[in-house]
Amino acid sequence: MRGQRFRMHDAVRSYAAARAAEDEDRAQAAAAHERLIRVYAGLADAVIRMVDGKMSTRANQFGVHGFASLDAALRWLDDESSFITAALRHSEGVDQQAVLDLLGALCDFCLLRGDLYRLGEIDELTQVVAAGQNGLKGQQGRLVRSVQWRTGIAARQLGELDKARTTLASVVDQYMEADQEAAAAMALISLGITLHHQGNLPEAAVRIREALELQEPPELAGDRAWGLHALAAVERDRARLAEAARLLETSLDLHRESESVHGEAWAHFQLGQVHLRFGDVEPAEVELRRALDLYGRTRDDRGEAWALTQLGRARVVDGDPGPAVDGLREALSRHREAEDARGEAWTQYYLGQALEVGGERDEAVRELERARTMFSRMRDVYGLAYARHHSGRVTRDQRAARTGNLRNSGFARQLLVDARADFRRIGLAHGEAWTCLELAVIDAGNGRLSQALGLCEEAVRLFIAYGDRRGEDWARFLRCTMLPYAVPAAPEEARAELGRLAQAPHPARDGRLEDCLETYGVILGRGVDPAEGWQAWRLGLVPNLHSREVMGVPRA
């Protein structure tokens, strides 16, 4: 198995080749080596087809070659990958389509197993093989493009997002120039996913939709399934949850039709996250456990780690911090083993949330700061914005709990100001709106009521823009709590606004807000003293983590 075999020294290999040349007819040796490459290509491609299904890169090319199960097939490829790489080192004169098939399958296997070191070796090997093709520029280009596409994906997994974007953009252009539209579409999807990870959601959606247009032909249905679930992830993070759910249902159908176990795993994984955004924990956990099972069947350690991360997050959303912390720490260890920097950063982020819910604010701040540092290092603006937002929230509450007021919130406020700028730059109204509310809490607690009211009104506008009634409720409520302290005649306006809110319930409303409406109604009824200053934070009448993490957008 890998790690238990020694690689032959080049001098030994050269000696063996020289003796073989003396003892055998060169033509017969070359023919035998070509047969070996063809057999390896058929077997390796069949294994990956059992994982990824009938995609354009290998649809209907090979049978299952008698593998008893997916596990047996993956075990064979794991055992033989070192020998396959050695065989490819001497592929001069071998049919280059067979070499291309074998390289592609081996690259996909390296990505699946997280063996990015071997993928780098294959990249170097490809350059050597391409250089030895004696002027066959078309074949050279196909070999290089095939491996470059996978190295771009590997760079993304390592958190090298700028490098991934540059590599994948170049590969897309090369495929387009070579009129390889199916391959260009798959590279466009990879580019779109990278842009999504960097926080450029509008361009990510454009790129993936370009890919889907190229994947309209029925024979590319297996490829299209991957594009649909990638687009769904983008639309989910743009708060278009109903659209994301529709895309994922279609994607799941296509993955099943194309027999893609791996694709189905990722679609279930994305669907679980959509359910979490709606606050539906039980169906989310069902989808995530399906994904975990399918990742296990394909021996995708990286996918399993991501599923464990989201299962831990589900416990956070459900207000169950103990199991959440345990699950997220296990996921964190798995991400580190897989060298998945993004997975590690997001797991630390959710671990910070779990610790916050469990009342461990000091440790929560440390984890959120670690996540913030990692996102900053990999230039993941999307993750950085979220980490800044939550680090600012928890830092504010941590310091306020020690002093009994919000006056020592300068550093927290700067984090939230930076987060708001990030959210605005990447066009994420959900993040910007909630950041406005967290800033409003700080400003109101420091006597800057006019500024706080302006932030609440800006939040209302942003929530309405993308249809989040849950967030809009909280923004209007917080405004009600501030009005009596900002304008002398405002208590009547606050009572009227509070009454309108109480009389307009809807399914997306946060249950906690109902309690706050009732409590503040009693407070207003007794009368407020503007000289006391804003009291809502001290009384616990402000949104918490769960209030923010669930979106109140339409379900259909």
Side-chain angles (χ1 to χ4, degrees), residues 103 106-108 110-111 115-126 147 149-155:
L103 279 169
L106 200 54
C107 286
D108 287 342
C110 289
L111 286 175
D115 191 351
L116 305 183
Y117 173 77
R118 188 182 297 279
L119 185 61
E121 281 190 323
I122 295 170
D123 188 20
E124 294 175 5
L125 175 60
T126 303
V147 177
W149 169 33
R150 274 78 168 201
T151 55
I153 295 171

Side-chain angles (χ1 to χ4, degrees), residues 49 101 199 308 463:
R49 183 176 177 272
D101 291 336
L308 289 171
F463 284 127

Side-chain angles (χ1 to χ4, degrees), residues 64-388:
V64 297
H65 286 276
F67 288 120
S69 66
L70 175 57
D71 184 64
L74 288 166
R75 190 164 55 250
W76 172 83
L77 190 49
D78 208 11
D79 290 345
E80 294 298 316
S81 58
S82 296
F83 297 107
I84 292 172
T85 305
L88 281 167
R89 293 183 184 278
H90 300 281
S91 55
E92 300 87 351
V94 175
D95 175 58
Q96 292 303 298
Q97 183 58 54
V99 174
L100 182 65
D101 291 336
L102 186 49
L103 279 169
L106 200 54
C107 286
D108 287 342
F109 183 68
C110 289
L111 286 175
L112 178 68
R113 301 291 289 122
D115 191 351
L116 305 183
Y117 173 77
R118 188 182 297 279
L119 185 61
E121 281 190 323
I122 295 170
D123 188 20
E124 294 175 5
L125 175 60
T126 303
Q127 305 297 329
V128 174
V129 171
Q133 288 180 0
N134 300 320
L136 298 176
K137 292 184 179 179
Q139 294 287 10
Q140 287 180 17
R142 293 186 70 193
L143 285 171
V144 172
R145 286 190 294 273
S146 178
V147 177
Q148 276 188 342
W149 169 33
R150 274 78 168 201
T151 55
I153 295 171
R156 183 177 71 228
Q157 292 183 12
L158 289 168
E160 299 170 359
L161 298 182
D162 284 344
K163 178 181 177 181
R165 186 191 68 242
T166 302
T167 301
L168 291 167
S170 173
V171 170
V172 168
D173 291 341
Q174 291 174 45
Y175 276 131
M176 287 295 197
E177 289 171 7
D179 294 322
Q180 291 180 267
E181 289 193 347
M186 292 304 295
L188 272 168
I189 292 169
S190 298
L191 177 59
I193 293 169
T194 304
L195 290 164
H196 178 193
H197 293 173
Q198 288 192 301
N200 193 342
L201 275 65
E203 189 179 350
V206 167
R207 290 295 192 159
I208 297 171
R209 289 186 188 278
E210 285 177 19
L212 291 171
E213 287 180 12
L214 294 172
Q215 292 169 338
E216 286 289 352
E219 61 270 20
L220 296 181
D223 293 11
R224 186 175 177 81
W226 290 84
L228 289 170
H229 82 235
L231 180 60
V234 176
E235 298 298 9
R236 177 200 66 226
D237 289 342
R238 297 172 84 186
R240 299 172 182 176
L241 301 188
E243 173 67 8
R246 284 193 292 270
L247 290 166
L248 287 167
E249 292 296 344
T250 305
S251 174
L252 274 169
D253 289 342
L254 292 177
H255 279 310
R256 287 167 184 147
E257 288 173 14
S258 67
E259 302 171 7
S260 177
V261 179
H262 202 213
E264 193 178 338
W266 283 106
H268 281 299
F269 173 78
Q270 301 292 0
L271 191 54
Q273 292 183 75
V274 171
H275 285 307
L276 285 179
R277 275 304 193 185
F278 277 129
D280 300 333
V281 175
E282 188 174 341
E285 289 182 322
V286 169
E287 295 296 334
L288 292 168
R289 292 195 185 284
R290 285 175 183 163
L292 185 63
D293 175 63
L294 292 167
Y295 289 133
R297 286 173 56 192
T298 59
R299 300 175 70 181
D300 182 352
D301 296 337
R302 177 175 164 269
E304 285 186 301
W306 275 101
L308 289 171
T309 293
Q310 291 300 318
L311 283 166
R313 175 192 174 193
R315 292 291 84 222
V316 176
V317 174
D318 205 37
D320 191 10
V325 169
D326 293 342
L328 288 164
R329 283 186 170 142
E330 180 187 351
L332 191 60
S333 174
R334 300 279 289 274
H335 284 299
R336 284 171 178 158
E337 287 174 8
E339 298 182 77
D340 189 335
R342 282 193 69 257
E344 185 178 342
W346 277 107
T347 305
Q348 285 182 318
Y349 166 85
Y350 291 122
L351 180 56
Q353 292 188 342
L355 290 163
E356 177 198 353
V357 173
E360 300 178 51
R361 287 199 183 104
D362 292 352
E363 187 62 28
V365 168
R366 283 192 284 272
E367 292 298 338
L368 288 167
E369 284 298 291
R370 288 182 186 122
R372 183 165 73 96
T373 299
M374 290 194 72
F375 286 130
S376 179
R377 188 182 302 132
M378 68 181 78
R379 299 174 65 84
D380 180 343
V381 181
Y382 180 79
L384 179 60
Y386 275 103
R388 278 174 168 162

Side-chain angles (χ1 to χ4, degrees), residues 434 437-438 441 474 478 512 541-545 547-548:
W434 279 105
L437 290 189
E438 302 297 354
V441 167
W474 273 109
L478 282 179
R512 190 164 166 276
L541 304 179
V542 294
N544 61 10
L545 176 65
S547 305
R548 182 217 187 284

